[in-house]
Amino acid sequence: MCGIVGYTGALEAAPILLDGLKKLEYRGYDSAGIAVLGKDGIEVSKVSGRIENLVEKTEGGRLLPGNAGIGHTRWATHGAPTDVNAHPHVSNDGRFAVVHNGIIENYIDLRDELIKNGYASISETDTEVIVHLIEMYYAGDIKRAVIKASSRLSGSYALGVVCTDAPHSVFVARERSPLILGVGLGENYFASDVTALVSHTRNAIYLDDDEFAELTPDSITVFNCAGQPVEKSVSRIAWDIQAAEKGGYEHFMLKEIVEQPRAVKAAIAPRIKDGEVVLEGAEMSKEYLSGISKIVITACGSAYYAGCAGRFAIEKLCRVPVKTDLASELRYDDPLIDEKTLLIVLSQSGETADTIAALREGQKRGAKTLAIVNVVGSTIAKAADYTLYTYAGPEIAVATTKGYTTQLAVLYLFALYAAKKMGRIDKERYDSLLSSLQAMPRRIQEAVDMNPNIPALAKKYHKSRSVFFMGRNTDYSVALEGALKMKEISYLHAEAYAAGELKHGTIALIEDKQPVVALCCNDRITEKTMSNIVEVKARGAEVLALTYRENKKMVALADDTMFIPLVETLLSAIVEIVPLQLLAYYVAKENGCDIDKPKNLAKSVTVE
Ligand code: AGP
């Protein structure tokens, strides 16, 4: 997704903007640019491709002197990734420059209106209409012009604006796209997320929708669409800088895989007190929980697959129907959601457009919403009725790993919490599952340590045309995420299917040497999955099994094996996924892929 940054203070702005854009690279982009208020007006430099190109073109920012400016990384939505389409966009009179994260849904009508008024666009972007609107409405009051222009926009935007008539100010506006202000001493910042701020300041102001601000070196003034001042609190950014750095690993993804024991512990530990699950921020009464008729879990991508895996524990323990629904489907589905539905919304970034829309759809229909989210202060975190943070720390790699496992950890906690409140679990089972859950950080570490053969397996399979992942029940839900990991970072085609479905079609694709990853960690149905393995092997498949070391029959049957430690089946997904994350990582490495920033992908899909 696009990212925006801004600075005003005593230092040269350009190097700070370039550094901020580098911190936002993980969001995914295909062009970048900066604009600085110089002594002769607005100086702009923008390029398609990587930020390194921009650094080179501006000689590290030296060619754009000035102490206030804005920057942008663009993930193309309207118009190809070219220099012309890159942001910042400048008004015809050269007085304004704008950067934007989001989508302007009515830009075609606005562009036609602007052309009639003599404001022609030179790019293919939706964003350019914004800077022309500001110019058109400008009559000496910049704040008013920004407010008036914003009032004409429908869609989502986080805006950064500079104007030659205010050489030390930067202006911002927020509507349904994240925008955070960094409070410094004699300098102030803005950015799309905290990773671009933490190296300068830990003091942050989170703007809400329909809020604006003017930043000068010594002041931040937040105001609403009527131009009236708005009181905002300053929050402390808890993330440490090292956590947002690679820490000696070759890729953020590998770092984030191996730090899952710590991340899962951070998600679980603060929520267990005296042998009880305590969900501060999401306390629900026995009456409310006993009155719900169903639970719907909605999300996108890996978050959705975490929901598919967590569903089993909630349904089994609470004895309430639990449905998982892709957010991009739910929002157009006329869903059967009402005040007796609890809608659980999963999101690492808290800014996924479809997930936000599904949350709002559920609230419109009377459901209470529980957000399980990683980014503090994100749109989903603030919009939900109840919010549980996953405390995974910054996840920089586009492909989520600790985001997924910490979401699962919180889902398991919720399952135990709700089952206890509803009186549907006996003490012995509750205590046993709670003890298993508390041990999960160690089990995850074991799963990392007990598969030193994965790099060799990657060498063996990395040239495959496609990889099938199969499993039943909880294993199938993990197969879905395992296939997505393989696809999105190694670019191998991968497909997950329920093992019982094999004979209903997929087996037609099994041919000699076809790799099949067979997940067999659900002790209730091991025999069934093993019969599927015999069927694919009979047709020449090479089976890579994921199972317990104790499952001797499976080990003997498979061509290759990866292991997890013995764990409670209901909670096994949080451990099972780890070898599959590592397999995808090493296959991608063998294929020389850009693992942390896979092609075409963004860390947070803030557009539909
Ligand atoms: C995960 O590896 C993908 N990058 C993607 O599917 C992601 O899970 C999805 O876009 C949802 O993102 P969110 O958790 O930030 O809402």
Side-chain angles (χ1 to χ4, degrees):
M1 269 318 65
C2 301
I4 66 173
V5 294
Y7 170 80
T8 178
L11 303 177
E12 285 302 313
I16 293 171
L17 298 172
L18 292 170
D19 178 61
L21 294 180
K22 281 180 193 160
K23 296 286 195 320
L24 297 183
E25 278 194 291
Y26 75 90
R27 296 164 65 88
Y29 72 103
D30 41 44
S31 60
I34 60 174
V36 174
L37 284 166
K39 60 183 181 3
D40 303 324
I42 294 175
E43 299 290 337
V44 176
S45 183
K46 46 190 190 174
V47 295
S48 53
R50 292 293 187 209
I51 290 172
E52 286 70 25
N53 306 345
L54 189 61
V55 172
E56 197 178 317
K57 185 174 179 182
T58 61
E59 292 181 13
R62 273 186 297 283
L63 298 183
L64 283 81
N67 305 114
I70 54 180
H72 187 266
T73 51
R74 179 172 180 253
W75 191 75
T77 50
H78 297 76
T82 61
D83 293 11
V84 171
N85 289 334
H87 305 201
H89 290 287
V90 181
S91 57
N92 294 337
D93 63 2
R95 185 181 265 126
F96 294 96
V98 166
V99 290
H100 164 228
N101 174 28
I103 280 210
I104 305 306
E105 291 160 356
N106 62 334
Y107 84 98
I108 292 173
D109 294 344
L110 290 171
R111 187 173 57 188
D112 294 348
E113 178 190 334
L114 286 162
I115 289 170
K116 287 196 190 93
N117 286 283
Y119 298 91
S121 288
I122 56 170
S123 76
E124 304 162 274
T125 68
D126 54 335
T127 300
E128 194 180 347
V129 301
I130 302 170
V131 76
H132 296 318
L133 282 170
I134 294 173
E135 179 187 353
M136 186 167 80
Y137 289 126
Y138 184 59
D141 183 334
I142 302 168
K143 276 169 52 176
R144 253 192 63 71
V146 172
I147 290 172
K148 182 93 175 96
S150 302
S151 70
R152 298 292 313 279
L153 307 176
S154 64
S156 59
Y157 53 84
L159 298 182
V161 184
V162 288
C163 175
T164 52
D165 293 349
H168 301 291
S169 293
V170 293
F171 297 83
V172 295
R174 176 203 153 130
E175 181 65 32
R176 293 168 46 199
S177 268
L179 190 51
I180 302 151
L181 310 182
V183 186
L185 277 177
E187 56 192 15
N188 286 305
Y189 307 78
F190 70 79
S192 295
D193 72 41
V194 292
T195 42
L197 299 176
V198 282
S199 55
H200 303 293
T201 176
R202 294 173 183 285
N203 299 318
I205 294 173
Y206 291 85
L207 279 193
D208 289 306
D209 286 347
D210 212 14
E211 286 184 344
F212 305 77
E214 177 180 2
L215 288 68
T216 69
D218 301 311
S219 68
I220 291 179
T221 310
V222 179
F223 47 94
N224 60 23
C225 57
Q228 292 148 351
V230 174
E231 272 307 305
K232 300 290 286 182
S233 58
V234 178
S235 310
R236 188 89 177 127
I237 302 172
W239 286 354
D240 62 69
I241 301 168
Q242 282 67 37
E245 300 298 335
K246 258 187 226 176
Y249 288 91
E250 190 177 351
H251 298 101
F252 276 111
M253 184 175 177
L254 184 58
K255 171 176 175 270
E256 289 154 8
I257 289 172
V258 302
E259 68 184 13
Q260 287 182 115
R262 183 203 57 71
V264 167
K265 186 172 170 52
I268 293 171
R271 296 177 168 124
I272 297 175
K273 291 190 173 66
D274 306 327
E276 294 287 328
V277 175
V278 179
L279 298 184
E280 276 159 38
E283 291 88 355
M284 298 176 196
S285 68
K286 175 183 170 60
E287 293 65 35
Y288 168 69
L289 285 168
S290 304
I292 57 175
S293 61
K294 71 174 167 189
I295 293 173
V296 175
I297 301 176
T298 192
C300 298
S302 293
Y304 171 71
Y305 295 142
C308 294
R311 173 184 77 82
F312 291 98
I314 300 173
E315 194 162 76
K316 183 114 181 121
L317 299 179
C318 301
R319 310 315 296 159
V320 168
V322 181
K323 176 176 185 277
T324 52
D325 205 346
L326 283 168
S328 53
E329 291 292 312
L330 181 148
R331 61 184 299 197
Y332 298 115
D333 204 12
D334 190 14
L336 292 174
I337 290 177
D338 59 23
E339 65 289 344
K340 292 168 73 67
T341 307
L342 171 63
L343 181 65
I344 298 179
V345 179
L346 300 171
S347 177
Q348 190 285 130
S349 65
E351 300 299 346
T352 301
D354 283 323
T355 309
I356 294 169
L359 183 152
R360 298 194 198 288
E361 185 64 31
Q363 289 179 324
K364 210 166 65 182
R365 294 167 184 264
K368 285 277 185 244
T369 52
L370 164 62
I372 296 176
V373 62
N374 191 37
V375 177
V376 175
S378 57
T379 301
I380 289 173
K382 298 203 291 191
D385 300 289
Y386 306 103
T387 297
L388 290 172
Y389 286 115
T390 52
Y391 301 133
E395 187 176 66
I396 307 301
V398 165
T400 188
T401 47
K402 61 179 183 175
Y404 172 92
T405 46
T406 52
Q407 284 165 6
L408 262 181
V410 177
L411 284 169
Y412 294 149
L413 283 166
F414 173 77
L416 283 167
Y417 172 85
K420 181 89 185 266
K421 280 270 183 169
M422 299 156 90
R424 300 199 177 148
I425 187 169
D426 63 47
K427 182 163 178 8
E428 188 186 350
R429 177 86 168 126
Y430 179 86
D431 291 348
S432 163
L433 284 169
L434 192 54
S435 163
S436 298
L437 187 52
Q438 284 179 288
M440 280 308 170
R442 286 193 301 281
R443 298 290 88 79
I444 290 171
Q445 188 59 57
E446 288 161 10
V448 171
D449 299 338
M450 67 200 299
N451 292 288
N453 60 328
I454 289 181
L457 291 173
K459 279 190 184 351
K460 176 176 178 183
Y461 291 112
H462 78 101
K463 286 194 164 48
S464 310
R465 228 163 24 91
S466 70
V467 183
F468 285 114
F469 290 73
M470 72 170 176
R472 290 169 184 267
N473 199 267
T474 46
D475 289 341
Y476 171 50
S477 67
V478 178
L480 290 165
E481 171 59 8
L484 176 59
K485 286 279 107 29
M486 185 64 79
K487 273 183 277 202
E488 66 174 334
I489 62 166
S490 76
Y491 310 147
L492 258 61
H493 176 261
E495 177 185 343
Y497 60 91
E501 279 297 288
L502 185 68
K503 292 189 282 293
H504 298 283
T506 310
I507 200 164
L509 295 178
I510 304 297
E511 51 196 27
D512 197 37
K513 300 278 182 245
Q514 170 64 53
V516 175
V517 179
L519 283 72
C520 202
C521 304
N522 185 320
D523 44 17
R524 283 189 310 107
I525 43 181
T526 295
E527 296 302 323
K528 298 288 181 199
T529 306
M530 288 175 72
S531 60
N532 297 130
I533 290 172
V534 171
E535 287 161 7
V536 295
K537 280 185 68 67
R539 287 157 180 82
E542 290 229 45
V543 173
L544 168 49
L546 174 62
T547 188
Y548 302 113
R549 207 183 286 285
E550 295 76 5
N551 192 341
K552 302 295 181 203
K553 276 199 285 186
M554 182 67 151
V555 174
L557 182 60
D559 298 280
D560 295 293
T561 41
M562 297 181 291
F563 296 110
I564 64 167
L566 274 172
V567 290
E568 161 69 47
T569 296
L570 211 49
L571 312 178
S572 63
I574 201 170
V575 182
E576 270 186 83
I577 191 60
V578 174
L580 302 186
Q581 294 167 342
L582 289 167
L583 180 66
Y585 173 80
Y586 283 107
V587 167
K589 198 167 174 215
E590 281 299 319
N591 289 345
C593 298
D594 188 350
I595 291 173
D596 285 336
K597 299 192 285 289
K599 67 178 191 249
N600 304 337
L601 291 182
K603 183 60 183 170
S604 175
V605 183
T606 57
V607 295
E608 286 188 38

